[in-house]
Amino acid sequence: MNGVHDMGGMHGFGPVLREENEPVFHESWEGRVFGLVVSTRVPGGGRPAIEAMPPAEYLSSSYYEKWLHAKTVALIAAGYVTQGELDDRLQEYRDNPGLKPKRVENLALVAEQRERMAGIFPPARDPEGEAEYLPGDAVRARNINPVGHTRLPRYIRGHLGTVDRIYGWHEIQDQDPPGVTIEGIEPVYSVRFEGGELWGEQAEPNSCVYIDMWESYLEPA
Amino acid sequence: MSGHHDDGHTHEQNEAELRTKALESLLVEKGIVSTDVIDDVVRAYEQDIGPMNGAKVVARAWTDPDYRERLLKDGTMAIAELGFQGAQGSEIVVLENTPETHNMVVCTLCSCYPWPILGLPPTWYKSEAYRSRAVIQPRAVLSEFGLELDESVEVRVWDSNSDVRYMVLPERPEGTEAMSEEELVGLVKRDSMIGVAKIPSPAPAV
């Protein structure tokens, strides 16, 4: 999707502002959102849902506001909560500022969540056939403009690069149509693109970008 | 408010807090999550999972050549040797900075970051400014971080767009030859493992 989230190479966002001794969460609700996001597993609710936000809303929302939005959309779609329930509950909290969510403990769920978050689930699958490219091969990133989620950013499309290494066969993450992830696995390569190739005469000296490319993003150069 | 937002978002943040409460309360009542699961996740990322883990990996790599070799060959497993593994770290690739090559990491599309060793990313890493500029003006960004690199140093920017997560192994600063692994851990800061800073030599003892 050619969305505003695909911001590599854009101008106008100003300097990188840093905060000394930044806390992990600035507000306690941010931690609650993070906990909800990682502990509820429903289809959707990930990056594609965030990327589908209207651009102005995307840019004016904080990181955890975006995740709250995406997770809420997914939980409603999955039938865990309804919009009506959420609206009613929101009104209750608006009317009663001191009201806190009811506390329920479940140690079995805590243990299950800990185990899930500590696991290693390597993305590489058993290869299917031969990888098309080898390290050192010259490739070109294809000029694709899918409406659905993709991991091929605009600033890379159409440009020449060199395969650096292969990471193995990973699941495809792109969606076509939007909302439906393409099934299957492909080799994923780290591909190097020279700064001058990407940015022309505005490129900074002696710089390059390495980015991970699913095989279908590439064509021989 | 801790003053991190100066963009007049107080109203929206209150709104987000209300929406979060509404969602959490419904999910808890329905038994989909429990309050203590969320408490536990928050506590883990506030206290246990952060750049202090990555610092141990770096200090080990500086003091144990065999470990360094394993780390550069299979980051995930070498990092797991020290007990760090899990979500957003199932394939970690470690990039070694040298006098000739400087690596830095960004996620232009999102905010991908190696949680088990660095914890959750700082706000600047998730900012539009960093995500947009790191790939086109890496030297300018580094310079804003206080790092001026000679043109002879190759700058490699890693755009973290797949399930692979990247961590930078910074250069060991001069003047640390006599330091123990434990002392070295204290020198290693988050930004050097993202690749936007070098680790300064420790000030000589007075």
Side-chain angles (χ1 to χ4, degrees), chain A residues 208-211, chain B residues 102-106 134-135 138 155-159:
Chain A
C208 60
V209 169
Y210 285 74
I211 185 165
Chain B
H102 183 90
N103 297 283
M104 63 188 278
V105 183
V106 64
V135 287
V155 176
R156 297 180 177 176
V157 184
W158 296 74
D159 190 348

Side-chain angles (χ1 to χ4, degrees), chain A residues 22 32 103 114 155 204 212, chain B residues 39-40 123 139 162 166:
Chain A
E22 183 180 345
R32 306 314 285 177
R103 183 168 183 88
R114 276 189 188 176
Y155 78 92
E204 289 184 347
D212 303 338
Chain B
D39 294 346
D40 193 61
T123 298
R139 290 175 185 273
S162 76
Y166 295 98

Side-chain angles (χ1 to χ4, degrees), chain A residues 93-111:
Chain A
Y93 283 111
R94 272 197 222 289
D95 295 342
N96 303 281
L99 192 64
K100 288 202 163 68
K102 190 174 119 190
R103 183 168 183 88
V104 175
E105 301 193 351
N106 185 333
L107 282 175
L109 279 185
V110 172

